[in-house]
């Protein structure tokens, strides 16, 4: 149990934050993409099955975002430059040692590059988001985590604000309904009841331990687990009735706009007021009122799932999806900058229209980045390794059998041999995503009980965070290696 004095100090430490600029958030997040590209390129130069490479992979994937969000947060450009330099060196090495011919790369367009219902870009996107979330929820309790990245009080944007929105968007992106697998509402409720249980467990643990609980975040009793449960249930009701991805996208935007209209009729003053609270709804007005905004974000994620998941997923499809994501990312960024001129600034507490626009724009950008990285790694792999089926046979091929030979060429790209497009840690996190998130929350509470985090700075804080992430990573990897799927 935290002492009353320290509890007040802790609460003051994590409250009244105004956020940061979009540029600072983007710079803080870029090492995630660059680390994935670095691992992918390195796998084409070194033996990616060796223990040394696996260790290198974990260091790059985990440590680079940890440092960029903590002690190196003021040197984001330098971190990006260092990672970019390493990537460029690997590119040069691959090109120098190339075996394939550029003219043979045209065969990629018609070849399948992913297994059924498994997209590396989605695995990278969701797992990286969970990893960043795990870093932030504990790092925010230490002085080495910049206050500009912590959750904002009323208005503004920050890394942690976008983490909340991104979690909901990712839930929609990987939802069964988004991929056209509709289930009854009763089944959805039953399947997601553990979220309700986790919500009550968190409420009980926070109350008993004295861990900080800012009432302006979700309310007195509400927490993110309850929000996630309700958006999934409401999503299972709405998505099957709309079905089509484009209509679902329009519905998500319309829902966000209508909610903004509701807020403008005095509701925002009620939500942000500091007056006394009466009754269960009033006591949790932030969590209840923001549900509509988060539901819009969830529907947007499901709409893009409908557009992304194709069968078969060929290199041509990948190129088309990258194009669509890039275009809509730009449009949503423009929409954000335009809408802030006559709507309220983004607010995680309200989940208003500009927060919806910011969340969707940022997450579409992240997703398109991971798709682009996947395309680059595949391209470099073909340049590096070539393919004997398309090179050695050319010299001795009999003209009369040319057409037959071409028709008999395999249409499945041996994608597992074409570079590391998703790290083993990302695969492990994606295998048990909810388990990873729950363990991160439990470990965060445990660390705060064991240490007076607000008073620990510098290297000791980094060592604690490193041990925390190493523990989470080890557990995830063990579960994945033994095919133990929990949730």
């Amino acid at each position: 149990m935290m002492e009353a004095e320290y509890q007040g100090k802790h609460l003051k430490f994590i409250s009244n934050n105004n956020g940061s600029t979009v540029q600072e958030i983007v710079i803080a997040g870029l090492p995630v993409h660059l680390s994935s590209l670095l691992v992918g390129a390195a796998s084409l130069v070194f033996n990616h099955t060796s223990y040394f490479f696996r260790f290198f992979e974990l260091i790059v994937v985990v440590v680079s975002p940890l440092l960029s969000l903590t002690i190196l947060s003021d040197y984001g450009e330098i971190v990006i430059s260092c990672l970019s330099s390493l990537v460029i060196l690997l590119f040069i090495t691959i090109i120098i040692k190339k075996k394939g011919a550029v003219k043979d790369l045209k065969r990629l367009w018609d070849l399948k590059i992913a297994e059924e219902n498994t997209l590396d870009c989605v695995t990278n996107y969701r797992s990286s988001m969970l990893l960043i979330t795990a870093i932030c929820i504990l790092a925010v309790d230490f002085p080495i985590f910049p206050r500009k990245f912590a959750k904002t009080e009323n208005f503004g944007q920050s890394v942690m604000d976008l983490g909340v929105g991104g979690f909901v968007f990712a839930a929609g992106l990987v939802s069964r309904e988004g991929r056209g697998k509709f289930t009854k509402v009763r089944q959805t409720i039953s399947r997601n009841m553990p979220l309700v249980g986790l919500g009550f467990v968190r409420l009980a643990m926070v109350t008993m331990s004295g861990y900080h609980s800012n009432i302006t975040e979700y309310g007195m009793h509400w927490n993110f687990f309850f929000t996630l449960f309700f958006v999934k249930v409401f999503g299972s009701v709405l998505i099957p009735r709309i079905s089509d991805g484009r209509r679902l996208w329009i519905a998500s935007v319309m829902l966000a706009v209508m909610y903004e209209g509701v807020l403008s009729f005095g509701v925002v003053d009620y939500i942000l007021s500091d007056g006394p609270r009466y009754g269960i709804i009033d006591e949790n007005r932030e969590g209840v009122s923001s549900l509509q905004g988060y539901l819009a974000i969830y529907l947007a994620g499901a709409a893009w799932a409908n557009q992304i998941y194709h069968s078969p997923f060929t290199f041509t499809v990948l190129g088309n999806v990258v194009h669509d994501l890039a275009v809509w990312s730009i449009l949503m960024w423009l929409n954000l900058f335009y809408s802030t001129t006559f709507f309220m600034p983004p607010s995680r507490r309200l989940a208003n229209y500009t927060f919806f626009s910011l969340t969707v724009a940022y997450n579409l950008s992240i997703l398109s980045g991971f798709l682009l990285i996947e395309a680059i790694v595949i391209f470099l792999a073909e340049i590096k390794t070539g393919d004997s089926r398309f090179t050695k046979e050319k010299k001795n091929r009999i003209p009369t059998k040319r057409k037959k030979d071409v028709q008999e060429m395999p249409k499945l790209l041996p994608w597992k041999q074409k570079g590391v497009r998703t790290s083993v840690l990302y695969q492990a996190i994606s295998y048990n995503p909810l388990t990873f998130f729950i363990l991160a929350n439990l470990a965060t509470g445990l660390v705060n009980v064991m240490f007076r985090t607000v008073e620990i700075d510098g290297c000791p804080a980094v060592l604690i965070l490193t041990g925390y992430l190493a523990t989470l990573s080890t557990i995830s990897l063990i579960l994945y290696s033994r095919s133990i799927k929990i949730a």
Side-chain angles (χ1 to χ4, degrees):
M1 184 74 178
M2 289 185 181
E3 300 175 3
E5 181 182 353
Y6 178 69
Q7 184 179 0
K9 182 178 180 180
H10 201 173
L11 182 60
K12 183 179 179 181
F13 179 72
I14 56 95
S15 302
N16 301 314
N17 300 307
N18 298 315
S20 58
T21 64
V22 171
Q23 181 181 358
E24 289 175 326
I25 294 172
V26 171
I27 290 174
L30 271 178
V32 174
H33 283 90
L34 289 173
S35 62
S36 292
L37 184 56
L38 177 60
V39 169
S43 70
L44 300 174
V45 177
F46 305 103
N47 178 14
H48 64 269
T49 61
S50 67
Y51 288 109
F52 171 78
F53 184 87
R54 292 303 185 193
F55 179 73
F56 161 78
E57 179 183 321
L58 290 173
I59 293 296
V60 171
V61 170
V62 176
V63 175
S64 57
L66 171 62
L67 296 181
S68 67
L69 289 170
T70 53
I71 56 175
L72 297 181
S73 59
D74 292 331
Y75 308 97
E77 292 86 352
I78 296 177
V79 174
I80 293 170
S81 298
C82 291
L83 291 173
S84 299
S85 299
L86 292 174
V87 169
I88 292 171
L89 286 174
L90 289 171
F91 281 7
I92 294 173
T93 303
I94 292 169
I95 292 172
I96 290 175
K97 295 182 178 181
K98 70 177 182 178
K99 297 179 181 178
V102 176
K103 62 182 180 180
D104 292 329
L105 294 175
K106 61 183 180 181
R107 72 186 184 87
L108 281 176
W109 295 108
D110 296 325
L111 295 182
K112 183 179 177 181
I113 62 171
E115 290 181 327
E116 199 72 24
N117 296 321
T118 303
L119 298 181
D120 289 325
C121 59
V122 176
T123 298
N124 291 334
Y125 161 72
R126 180 167 66 161
S127 298
S128 65
M129 183 268 298
L130 284 167
L131 178 62
I132 294 298
T133 300
I135 292 172
C136 290
I137 60 176
L138 179 58
V140 70
D141 296 324
F142 291 91
I144 60 172
F145 188 80
R147 295 303 92 192
K148 63 184 179 180
F149 291 160
K151 290 179 181 177
T152 55
E153 191 75 14
N154 292 322
F155 295 101
Q157 62 272 326
S158 70
V159 171
M160 292 194 73
D161 288 342
L162 281 170
V164 175
F167 205 106
V168 176
F169 185 90
L173 186 68
V174 300
S175 65
R176 294 173 62 87
E177 293 81 10
R179 288 177 288 172
K181 300 178 180 179
F182 305 132
T183 56
K184 295 180 180 180
V185 178
R186 184 181 302 175
Q187 292 176 321
T188 302
I189 293 175
S190 176
R191 188 182 299 112
N192 291 286
M193 280 305 293
L195 291 173
V196 178
L198 290 169
F200 282 112
V201 168
R202 175 177 169 76
L203 175 62
M205 291 181 63
V206 168
T207 303
M208 291 187 295
S209 66
Y211 185 69
H212 65 76
S213 179
N214 194 339
I215 194 174
T216 63
E217 189 170 352
Y218 293 105
M220 294 181 65
H221 314 105
W222 200 275
N223 57 56
F224 183 68
F225 288 110
F226 295 138
T227 296
L228 195 58
F229 170 78
F230 282 109
V231 296
K232 286 191 172 188
V233 171
F234 292 149
S236 69
V237 174
L238 294 175
I239 296 174
R241 287 163 174 75
I242 302 172
S243 163
D244 181 72
R246 294 179 182 178
R247 293 180 180 176
L248 191 57
W249 169 249
I250 294 172
S252 69
V253 176
M254 289 180 62
L255 183 62
V257 171
M258 287 190 295
Y259 175 55
E260 183 72 22
V262 172
L263 289 174
S264 64
F265 285 102
V267 176
V268 63
D269 296 327
Y270 162 69
I271 297 173
L272 300 181
S273 65
D274 296 325
R277 300 176 181 234
Y278 305 100
I280 190 70
I281 300 297
D282 191 24
E283 289 173 343
N284 299 283
R285 55 185 180 234
E286 289 88 354
V288 174
S289 62
S290 62
L291 270 178
Q292 185 170 328
Y294 285 116
L295 178 58
I297 294 172
Y298 182 85
L299 295 180
W304 277 100
N306 193 283
Q307 298 297 315
I308 290 175
Y309 285 94
H310 291 267
S311 183
F313 195 85
T314 64
F315 201 80
T316 302
V317 172
L318 186 149
N320 293 335
V321 173
V322 169
H323 173 268
D324 292 343
L325 282 169
V327 169
W328 275 103
S329 298
I330 294 171
L331 290 176
M332 290 305 295
W333 282 117
L334 293 175
N335 171 66
L336 170 66
F337 298 137
Y338 176 69
S339 61
T340 51
T341 60
F342 53 90
F343 285 156
M344 292 179 291
S347 171
R348 173 200 50 79
R349 186 176 176 183
L350 299 172
N352 57 350
Y353 179 75
T354 47
F355 181 74
F356 165 84
S357 299
L358 173 64
T359 299
V360 173
Y362 186 68
N363 282 275
L364 290 182
S365 300
I366 293 175
L367 196 52
S368 60
F370 278 122
L371 268 167
L372 183 60
I373 288 171
E374 185 173 351
I376 291 172
V377 172
I378 294 172
F379 180 84
L380 290 174
E382 288 299 298
I383 289 279
K384 168 88 168 37
T385 62
D387 196 317
S388 60
R389 294 172 300 175
F390 290 86
T391 53
K392 293 179 180 179
E393 292 182 3
K394 279 187 175 182
K395 297 179 180 179
N396 302 318
R397 185 177 296 162
I398 301 174
T400 56
K401 296 184 179 181
R402 178 179 178 85
K403 185 175 181 180
K404 181 178 179 181
D405 289 341
V406 172
Q407 290 176 342
E408 292 179 352
M409 287 177 182
K411 293 297 183 182
L412 176 63
L413 177 71
W415 61 277
K416 291 184 178 179
Q417 302 173 11
K418 297 300 181 181
V420 175
R421 280 142 50 189
T422 180
S423 72
V424 66
L425 178 60
Y426 281 173
Q427 293 176 46
I429 294 174
S430 183
Y431 193 67
N432 281 298
L434 185 58
T435 302
F436 181 84
F437 183 61
I438 293 170
L439 289 174
N441 277 269
L442 292 174
T444 296
L446 181 62
V447 169
N448 274 278
V449 170
M450 294 173 59
F451 303 99
R452 296 171 71 93
T453 55
V454 175
E455 300 170 357
I456 302 176
D457 201 0
C459 289
V462 174
L463 289 175
I464 292 173
L465 286 166
T466 303
Y468 155 81
L469 291 172
T471 302
L472 292 178
S473 300
T474 301
I475 294 173
S476 297
L477 289 168
I478 290 174
L479 292 176
Y480 178 63
S481 64
R482 298 183 180 182
S483 300
I484 302 174
K485 190 170 183 62
I486 302 174

